[in-house]
Amino acid sequence: MLSASISNDTAFHPSTFILLGIPGMQDQHLWAAIPFCSMYILALVGNGTILYAIVKERALHKPMYLFLCLLSITDLVLCSTTLPKMLTIFWFKSHKISYHGCLTQMFFVHTAFATESAVLLAMAFDRYVAICRPLHYTSILNGMVIGKIGLASVIRGLLFVFPFVILIERLPFCGHHVIPHTYCEHMGIARLACASIKPNTIYGLTVALSVTGMDVVLIATSYGLILRAVLHLPSKDAQFRAFSTCGAHICVILVFYVPAFFSFLTHRFGHRVPPRVHIVLANLYLLLPPVLNPLVYGVNTRQIRLRILDFFMGRR
């Protein structure tokens, strides 16, 4: 009786999942790990350096750079939830992940993504206030407000993503436990179920549209208002300075949303796209922003460049 109960429980929820890695490229996993590992190291070093520069440089203790700190922390969480496990798959053929470990990874991946989207929206609001309401900038975006925005960004991600765990927990898997992916994500797990996943699909699309989609709309609205304000500035030089303060943020937005939406659309509508392309895209949209964001802001921000040079030259 006890063994039958254990067997039924295992059939409903497997004790472990098997992450295949990149389907069709198992023979190349060892080589594929090299660029992914290099990018991960760059992400760790780049975001760590950005955090160091902002903490050490008092001139950077401003709303724009405090939001950049939040962005760097979120980037580190985003790539660190997937890359270490992926590298163990590629190098050590460690394909197993526990059921609850898989759900935990899924939870943090989606929460970090939703949080980063909220931080980018907050940074767009920061640029709107700086350009459209410069006299009220410090009063609107003081330290307490920035802290509340950061906390709200995290809480929003947690609240929207937690139902994913509940939706997965309700599904029976009937012994299916092989995930053709390098990490655990909501629909990748749900497709293994031997029951209807319509609620998972509907909620996943709802979250994508109401969270990420709404953030994109609000960011576009902010920049529409910024563009209108900048075009009313009296001189070309003033217009150029205003646009230059937004350049880095626009690059970061494109780096984050373009790969994410491309992966999202090909995953749902690109049925002729090979599975390995889906998997590579899914990894890149989690890895590219953490790699490129520090480079974009490092190149565009003089104080950050100087602090980084001081660090590498041994000057405090």
Side-chain angles (χ1 to χ4, degrees):
M1 191 73 177
L2 180 61
S3 62
S5 174
I6 294 172
S7 177
N8 289 336
D9 184 62
T10 303
F12 195 86
H13 286 157
S15 59
T16 60
F17 285 112
I18 303 295
L19 292 168
L20 284 184
I22 304 176
M25 292 182 62
Q26 283 86 345
D27 294 339
Q28 288 81 43
H29 274 176
L30 187 64
W31 300 107
I34 296 174
F36 282 115
C37 182
S38 301
M39 293 174 74
Y40 183 48
I41 293 171
L42 283 174
L44 294 177
V45 173
N47 286 285
T49 305
I50 289 289
L51 290 170
Y52 168 83
I54 293 173
V55 169
K56 288 292 186 180
E57 183 60 60
R58 191 173 296 275
L60 297 176
H61 294 179
K62 298 176 181 177
M64 176 181 176
Y65 301 110
L66 295 178
F67 284 128
L68 179 55
C69 271
L70 291 176
L71 185 68
S72 290
I73 293 169
T74 309
D75 276 339
L76 288 172
V77 174
L78 189 64
C79 61
S80 294
T81 52
T82 57
L83 263 294
K85 178 58 182 176
M86 184 200 309
L87 293 176
T88 63
I89 293 170
F90 288 172
W91 280 335
F92 308 111
K93 302 188 185 300
S94 177
H95 295 276
K96 286 186 179 181
I97 184 171
S98 70
Y99 172 78
H100 290 103
C102 193
L103 263 60
T104 301
Q105 187 185 57
M106 176 199 75
F107 178 78
F108 279 105
V109 166
H110 291 297
T111 299
F113 185 85
T115 301
E116 180 147 345
S117 183
V119 172
L120 290 177
L121 174 59
M123 294 175 81
F125 177 67
D126 167 78
R127 291 301 83 205
Y128 164 76
V129 175
I131 292 173
C132 299
R133 301 187 64 183
L135 298 178
H136 301 92
Y137 182 66
T138 54
S139 61
I140 293 175
L141 288 172
N142 56 51
M144 184 174 291
V145 170
I146 293 169
K148 288 179 179 178
I149 290 174
L151 183 61
S153 299
V154 175
I155 291 174
R156 187 193 73 161
L158 294 171
L159 290 177
F160 274 100
V161 173
F162 187 72
F164 284 155
V165 178
I166 299 172
L167 288 169
I168 293 296
E169 284 279 4
R170 58 173 277 278
L171 293 174
F173 290 89
C174 305
H176 302 151
H177 65 287
V178 178
I179 303 175
H181 211 311
T182 56
Y183 63 88
C184 299
E185 54 94 22
H186 174 236
M187 289 308 298
I189 303 172
R191 287 195 177 95
L192 297 181
C194 52
S196 173
I197 62 170
K198 189 174 181 180
N200 300 69
T201 304
I202 292 172
Y203 185 72
L205 287 172
T206 301
V207 170
L209 293 174
S210 62
V211 177
T212 310
M214 185 57 67
D215 288 347
V216 171
V217 170
L218 292 174
I219 289 171
T221 302
S222 295
Y223 273 99
L225 296 172
I226 289 171
L227 179 63
R228 186 178 68 177
V230 169
L231 293 177
H232 283 86
L233 292 175
S235 69
K236 296 291 184 183
D237 185 55
Q239 290 178 0
F240 176 78
R241 286 200 307 272
F243 277 128
S244 66
T245 64
C246 301
H249 185 239
I250 292 173
C251 290
V252 166
I253 289 170
L254 293 175
V255 165
F256 182 75
Y257 286 113
V258 170
F261 279 114
F262 190 72
S263 177
F264 177 82
L265 292 173
T266 56
H267 191 65
R268 281 163 175 77
F269 306 111
H271 301 297
R272 296 183 180 179
V273 179
R276 61 178 175 273
V277 176
H278 286 302
I279 306 306
V280 171
L281 286 173
N283 284 294
L284 286 179
Y285 89 76
L286 295 182
L287 191 54
L288 276 179
V291 171
L292 296 180
N293 290 350
L295 296 176
V296 170
Y297 274 100
V299 168
N300 283 276
T301 307
R302 181 174 176 272
Q303 293 98 322
I304 291 179
R305 289 201 307 271
L306 291 176
R307 172 53 67 178
I308 293 171
L309 286 173
D310 287 346
F311 174 75
F312 284 109
M313 294 179 69
R315 297 195 298 261
R316 292 184 177 272

